[in-house]
Amino acid sequence: MIHSLFLINCSGDIFLEKHWKSVVSQSVCDYFFEAQEKAADVENVPPVISTPHHYLISIYRDKLFFVSVIQTEVPPLFVIEFLHRVADTFQDYFGECSEAAIKDNVVIVYELLEEMLDNGFPLATESNILKELIKPPTILRSVVNSITGSSNVGDTLPTGQLSNIPWRRAGVKYTNNEAYFDVIEEIDAIIDKSGSTVFAEIQGVIDACIKLSGMPDLSLSFMNPRLLDDVSFHPCIRFKRWESERVLSFIPPDGNFRLISYRVSSQNLVAIPVYVKHNISFKENSSCGRFDITIGPKQNMGKTIEGITVTVHMPKVVLNMNLTPTQGSYTFDPVTKMLTWDIGKITPQKLPSLKGLVNLQSGAPKPEENPSLNIQFKIQQLAISGLKVNRLDMYGEKYKPFKGVKYITKAGKFQVRT
Amino acid sequence: MSAAPAYSEDKGGSSSLGEPEYGHDPASGRIFSSDYKRHDDLKEMLDTNKDSLKLEAMKRIVAMIARGKNASDLFPAVVKNVACKNIEVKKLVYVYLVRYAEEQQDLALLSISTFQRGLKDPNQLIRASALRVLSSIRVPIIVPIMMLAIKEAASDMSPYVRKTAAHAIPKLYSLDSDQKDQLIEVIEKLLADKTTLVAGSVVMAFEEVCPERIDLIHKNYRKLCNLLIDVEEWGQVVIINMLTRYARTQFLSPNKNESLLEENPEKAFYGSEEDESKGSGPGLEEAAAPLAARRPYIMDPDHRLLLRNTKPLLQSRSAAVVMAVAQLYFHLAPKAEVGVIAKALVRLLRSHSEVQYVVLQNVATMSIKRRGMFEPYLKSFYIRSTDPTQIKILKLEVLTNLANETNIPTVLREFQTYIRSMDKDFVAATIQAIGRCATNIGRVRDTCLNGLVQLLSNRDELVVAESVVVIKKLLQMQPSQHGEIIKHLAKLTDNIQVPMARASILWLIGEYCEHVPRIAPDVLRKMAKSFTAEEDIVKLQVINLAAKLYLTNSKQTKLLTQYVLSLAKYDQNYDIRDRARFTRQLIVPSEQGGTLSRHAKKLFLAPKPAPVLESSFKDRDHFQLGSLSHLLNAKATGYQELPDWPEEAPDPSVRNVEVPEWTKCSNREKRKEKEKPFYSDSEGESGPTESADSDPESVSESESKSSNESGSGTSSDEDEDEDESDEQEADEKKKGRRGGQEASRDSGESDQSEEEQKKVKRKKKAHERKETSESSEEEGSASDSSSSESESASESEEEEEEDQTEPDTWRRKTPPSSKIIPKPKEISLLDLEDFTPPSIQPVSPPRVVSNSLVTDLEGLTLTDSSLAPSNPWHLVIQLQPPWASTSLTPPRQPPSSYALKLDSSMSPSSHQWGS
């Protein structure tokens, strides 16, 4: 399956390599660099590249390329999924998945990669198991280790490996037992020129942070579970209970994890919390254009909309922009042609707007398309779909845990065409 | 630690220059000696007794390896530490060994004895890691030792060690393929292993070593199906892919008869779906029942088992698993059931862009074959300006495949916005897509053509060129009406520089020169003037144009043609010279009579068929979907061809295993008892429910029709309700009941004894029901309207009755997974069975049913099940105002008005059956 892995940074340096079978020369990455050059944009590097003797499957995460070398037929998603799991694990261990973090912890990275794959086939990928095998680096532990001479590597088989709940480690102990759930919903929408919704749907996830001692058996129920149209589960969830009772019943992993992700059916009308009035025009045969956008709240369920940012990818011929915002601040990067307007909160009394002139390259034809606006926003304490957690029960342990649920709505891929 | 990278950087390349000579080379002596000293320092650290120093040294060495620097000269110093007590040092030594053992085989042998000792260690982790390293050092001499170690580990107590043994098999095989026979024995043994931990790894080994030995799977087939849901994700992918291949060799095609009987089963199917989602769903059944009667296809229960047990995995968080199940359904499921995968695949489109890329490729292939499946999700494929170009183009492909008579206006409107995008590659692809829509859907051809003509005045040359090429193809379909467009195109020759576009225009003018008799010679004149400066493809077309004009209008163009031909005669490109010579011979009659030239007109101006614009994803589905080969559209190394369905099913009894055989029988027995009232409770995850949540009125007939149009998104889900065979119901019900009991126990709402009483009652009912169902079956498999009607009535009554008595949700559907737990001893935490007190295990007397009878009944019930009304339970739920459902406990007594409504909503369906 997976033969080798190369980590490559944005400037094209191979800064880590790991081989699970015979060594594959670094030169195999030349094919990758070639494809990268051809693609111009990092996003457009094809994830699967075929070379005379190998296949390269790569992902792009946090400004790093994870390039794996494959020799025989394997489902590409299998490899892609695994590479993302590797990146997630680094994130989990080092707090960030960056070149610096990986270089600083190269030994741990190597040990992790050794555990995660055996002969190219995934072995242990659950973070709870890995953490028992290889302890994440902390300042305290490195001090203790240097004094006592103990090591970061566990010497017994993690209990999870053998049980039917491989995701949870044994012997968890907390003085404060807590279980937090974040219901995060994102609105994906395409709004057309006239302001009508072309497409909108709600994508949600429930992220959990569980710090409970022992082997708690949780069940989480919703007020309105039927809202959830399409759900994907963390392996810990008992599928049958969900199917029969619409209750999420599970023995949770320890720590942070994604419990479910779901989609709310597209039939339900999605409330769009903001509207945008826009007037962007470029004059023929002149070197300027007008730019005017106003944002206002629409159906916001009485909550304030905050953290609004508008990003616009302006056409190439735009040289500069002279704008005045009534609220917030804006930046325009003349190189990438990105306009970013950071608004903050909307107050209904005074709607934020951004007006001004656009300088165009003189002589160049006017751009044919108006750029589309990408909008980010956040609404606290609201799940836009109306999903509500009913209750959380715990079985199997005696103590009373502290429970909390937080709702948040965000803009996902929210695009306004102009 | 931070010193390590710096260090290794220093020593970098020099170490790779061959260490032994450092002393002999005076020129570079200084550099090498310092290098040597550095290594010395590491060696010293490794030789000390202090673990902390050793560890430090090993960390530095590993950092070197990670950067791809050569550290092979340290081998002797490192290998000594293989027996080190410190586990972290040991692990790092293992890392080093695995990396360099292949290069230093002799020295590597020193470490073998340590591993052999490790294999006997009481700690399973040490046993496993010893085996891992032993099998990973690629030293051919130790093959016999490896073989022995693997054999021993395969019967180890610890499943973890057995898993490692399974991993070691392909390693040994790649080292020495002569061991295949022995390894197959080990694989056979491990395949029989009953733990989930081993299953994935051993199937992986099977796939690498002996994928052709499909016979090894027979005995383990059912076990693998049942274990599947508890196997870790990576194993699931491998097992599902393998089982797909297995099923293709062992079962009959579920769609074979269908394709013979019905020309267009898809259309019929999706048409009937409309009324089905009314809530009573007779439409499909009506269509399905006679169909079923006509063909005697009976799905092998094992085939069904596979489909049923993989389905819940569509909700896995792992994209790879979802894709694996999707391809399994695509390749194995009856047409009507394939629809379920669409929703899950669309979900993956929210994931990382690499995942999107792969999924879209597969969706593109599927959408050609099963367009209806993705139609409800059309909008999910709309393109955002922020998508990467490769994703945009794939989405466009899917949108084009999905376009049909009804949705083409919306699709075209989308395309209009795309055409103005800043991303020119994408615009070009959009124009191609419009062209394809226009060829496929005659109704919009003119609209598309007009749109494309407008694009000809676009400022971007690429856009214009692309439009010209597409217009050319479209015009070929109906040239007579489009003289104007051709004239317009002719004018463009002055401006367009893109060779392909110029060539296309010239070809068009040549081909349809009768429609533009005046302009054509003029174009030729211009082209003759610029002939030498043109690209090769344009030159060829100029020759073509000249020839065609000469044949139709020789008076005006004779000289021009001669001029062009003589220019071409001396062209640098031999293709053009050849063509010129050839053309001249054809059109200018020579002395020898020139039989050919008499037919020249026929040759040049023969009516040519219009080109068919096809998707590049057509016919890709002969590759197993989701595979690398499919993605590359070329056979990858080690790709296992997906076999065609067999004509005759091989003997199904090979999959029988001694013990489960009994359970199977009794299970079917149970199934028979309980199936009737419950079938429509299966599945339908949210199919009928979502509209329910939002608006309760949709139950009523009149409204449902309108809501259906928008609600077609869910219907694909529903259809499988009907087609899910009855097998499921029995155990589903069983599970459901248990689930219900469990819940009730949890909430402590009802006490056990009451529950048990009810159970007895229910069982009685079940018996009665069984009788009715069987009687109706005896009447024949054809849909007897009257009997089914009465049945459905009685059912609904019963269900209502039970609603009132049942405090819990037992009747709601349960997952179809793991029907038979092969050994009740094995308790998995995912299985709800361990929550059920043994006293209330549903017991049913095992009855020995002859095989033929079983299959007969199977067939009958298949037909029968399709007559199911869709779930009345959902109706009850729908009627609850949302605020009433504070907990999941349904109302004990549905108010009578609800019941009334229920009735009224049921009536139309029974009415339809009658008709």
Side-chain angles (χ1 to χ4, degrees), chain A residues 15-264:
Chain A
F15 67 92
L16 188 118
E17 60 176 71
K18 167 87 185 133
H19 308 275
W20 285 275
K21 300 183 184 181
S22 299
V23 178
V24 178
S25 150
Q26 284 197 352
S27 61
V28 76
C29 292
D30 293 347
Y31 293 102
F32 175 78
F33 294 132
E34 207 174 281
Q36 194 184 4
E37 223 162 84
K38 215 192 284 170
D41 192 7
V42 281
E43 280 180 320
N44 277 319
V45 182
V48 182
I49 300 167
S50 174
T51 77
H53 298 290
H54 302 94
Y55 305 99
L56 304 179
I57 299 186
S58 61
I59 63 160
Y60 181 68
R61 270 279 288 264
D62 302 309
K63 304 212 168 100
L64 297 179
F65 284 103
F66 291 66
V67 182
S68 62
V69 182
I70 311 294
Q71 250 179 348
T72 51
E73 166 69 45
V74 59
L77 270 185
F78 185 96
V79 182
I80 289 170
E81 183 82 23
F82 176 79
L83 294 177
H84 277 294
R85 207 61 71 80
V86 171
D88 290 341
T89 310
F90 290 165
Q91 178 93 33
D92 193 26
Y93 263 73
F94 314 126
E96 53 168 357
C97 177
S98 68
E99 190 185 349
I102 291 172
K103 276 184 171 170
D104 285 350
N105 298 292
V106 71
V107 175
I108 294 184
V109 166
Y110 232 66
E111 284 171 342
L112 281 173
L113 290 176
E114 186 74 26
E115 284 305 329
M116 291 178 85
L117 277 184
D118 180 16
N119 194 37
F121 190 76
L123 191 62
T125 47
E126 283 296 335
S127 98
N128 264 255
I129 290 183
L130 285 172
K131 280 184 176 164
E132 259 183 274
L133 285 169
I134 301 150
K135 311 235 166 37
T138 57
I139 296 165
L140 181 70
R141 184 168 298 122
S142 60
V143 172
V144 171
N145 283 352
S146 61
I147 295 167
T148 61
S150 62
S151 75
N152 277 333
V153 177
D155 59 351
T156 51
L157 186 67
T159 45
Q161 256 313 8
L162 289 176
S163 71
N164 277 313
I165 38 167
W167 53 84
R168 187 171 179 88
R169 61 196 179 93
V172 185
K173 266 216 167 100
Y174 288 100
T175 41
N176 292 325
N177 289 295
E178 308 162 310
Y180 296 108
F181 295 90
D182 290 357
V183 180
I184 304 166
E185 295 194 336
E186 294 192 351
I187 304 175
D188 284 358
I190 301 176
I191 313 283
D192 76 0
K193 238 180 211 173
S194 57
S196 57
T197 312
V198 178
F199 167 75
E201 72 179 3
I202 299 171
Q203 302 274 357
V205 295
I206 299 184
D207 282 342
C209 174
I210 308 277
K211 294 180 173 172
L212 298 173
S213 317
M215 276 287 165
D217 190 340
L218 303 179
S219 57
L220 183 78
S221 61
F222 298 100
M223 297 279 219
N224 37 11
R226 285 174 187 272
L227 271 179
L228 308 183
D229 180 18
D230 181 33
V231 193
S232 76
F233 300 114
H234 189 277
C236 68
I237 290 172
R238 296 187 183 99
F239 188 70
K240 288 163 201 165
R241 278 288 297 275
W242 171 257
E243 284 292 277
S244 59
E245 297 164 60
R246 298 275 148 183
V247 168
L248 297 175
S249 156
F250 54 99
I251 293 178
D254 186 45
N256 295 314
F257 65 100
R258 175 152 297 171
L259 186 65
I260 62 170
S261 46
Y262 60 89
R263 187 175 59 197
V264 174

Side-chain angles (χ1 to χ4, degrees), chain A residues 41 43 291 293 309-323 329-342 354 358 371-376 415, chain B residues 385-387 422:
Chain A
D41 192 7
E43 280 180 320
F291 186 92
I293 50 176
T309 23
V310 181
T311 47
V312 191
H313 188 219
M314 299 302 286
K316 282 202 185 66
V317 291
V318 173
L319 283 184
N320 212 342
M321 304 183 78
N322 281 318
L323 307 171
S329 59
Y330 83 98
T331 52
F332 177 72
D333 182 345
V335 181
T336 58
K337 313 288 180 197
M338 286 300 269
L339 169 73
T340 313
W341 178 28
D342 195 346
L354 183 67
V358 184
S372 40
L373 318 172
N374 294 301
I375 299 174
Q376 287 299 319
Q415 194 159 78
Chain B
S385 61
T386 42
D387 287 333
M422 285 182 261

Side-chain angles (χ1 to χ4, degrees), chain B residues 184-240:
Chain B
I184 290 176
E185 276 171 34
V186 183
I187 290 175
E188 197 171 359
K189 184 173 178 191
L190 285 172
L191 273 173
D193 204 296
K194 289 190 183 62
T195 51
T196 52
L197 206 57
V198 183
S201 306
V202 70
V203 172
M204 182 64 226
F206 170 83
E207 289 283 80
E208 287 207 5
V209 178
C210 52
E212 73 283 352
R213 287 291 303 273
I214 214 88
D215 56 296
L216 295 180
I217 304 300
H218 291 322
K219 291 271 178 236
N220 302 298
Y221 173 81
R222 286 175 197 157
K223 184 197 72 193
L224 282 175
C225 286
N226 288 323
L227 281 184
L228 195 57
I229 195 155
D230 291 331
V231 176
E232 32 86 44
E233 292 151 320
W234 314 109
Q236 284 173 347
V237 177
V238 177
I239 295 176
I240 293 170

Side-chain angles (χ1 to χ4, degrees), chain B residues 89-241:
Chain B
V89 174
K90 206 166 171 170
K91 274 210 162 165
L92 295 177
V93 172
Y94 286 179
V95 169
Y96 183 92
L97 259 180
V98 171
R99 171 69 178 75
Y100 286 113
E102 208 173 4
E103 296 170 23
Q104 314 234 355
Q105 307 217 345
D106 293 344
L107 286 170
L109 292 177
L110 295 175
S111 60
I112 304 297
S113 62
T114 319
F115 299 129
Q116 283 179 309
R117 231 177 302 133
L119 287 170
K120 304 264 180 321
D121 199 279
N123 183 337
Q124 49 179 342
L125 185 66
I126 293 178
R127 284 204 303 278
S129 63
L131 179 60
R132 255 185 88 181
V133 183
L134 183 67
S135 54
S136 298
I137 50 179
R138 291 164 291 273
V139 181
I141 307 172
I142 61 162
V143 164
I145 302 176
M146 269 164 81
M147 193 68 229
L148 207 68
I150 290 173
K151 275 185 180 165
E152 226 160 80
S155 38
D156 198 284
M157 292 271 287
S158 154
Y160 185 69
V161 178
R162 294 203 298 273
K163 185 188 176 77
T164 319
H167 279 281
I169 292 170
K171 296 186 209 170
L172 180 54
Y173 180 65
S174 67
L175 198 61
D176 180 6
S177 50
D178 292 345
Q179 305 291 323
K180 187 169 177 175
D181 293 339
Q182 289 194 58
L183 286 175
I184 290 176
E185 276 171 34
V186 183
I187 290 175
E188 197 171 359
K189 184 173 178 191
L190 285 172
L191 273 173
D193 204 296
K194 289 190 183 62
T195 51
T196 52
L197 206 57
V198 183
S201 306
V202 70
V203 172
M204 182 64 226
F206 170 83
E207 289 283 80
E208 287 207 5
V209 178
C210 52
E212 73 283 352
R213 287 291 303 273
I214 214 88
D215 56 296
L216 295 180
I217 304 300
H218 291 322
K219 291 271 178 236
N220 302 298
Y221 173 81
R222 286 175 197 157
K223 184 197 72 193
L224 282 175
C225 286
N226 288 323
L227 281 184
L228 195 57
I229 195 155
D230 291 331
V231 176
E232 32 86 44
E233 292 151 320
W234 314 109
Q236 284 173 347
V237 177
V238 177
I239 295 176
I240 293 170
N241 279 322

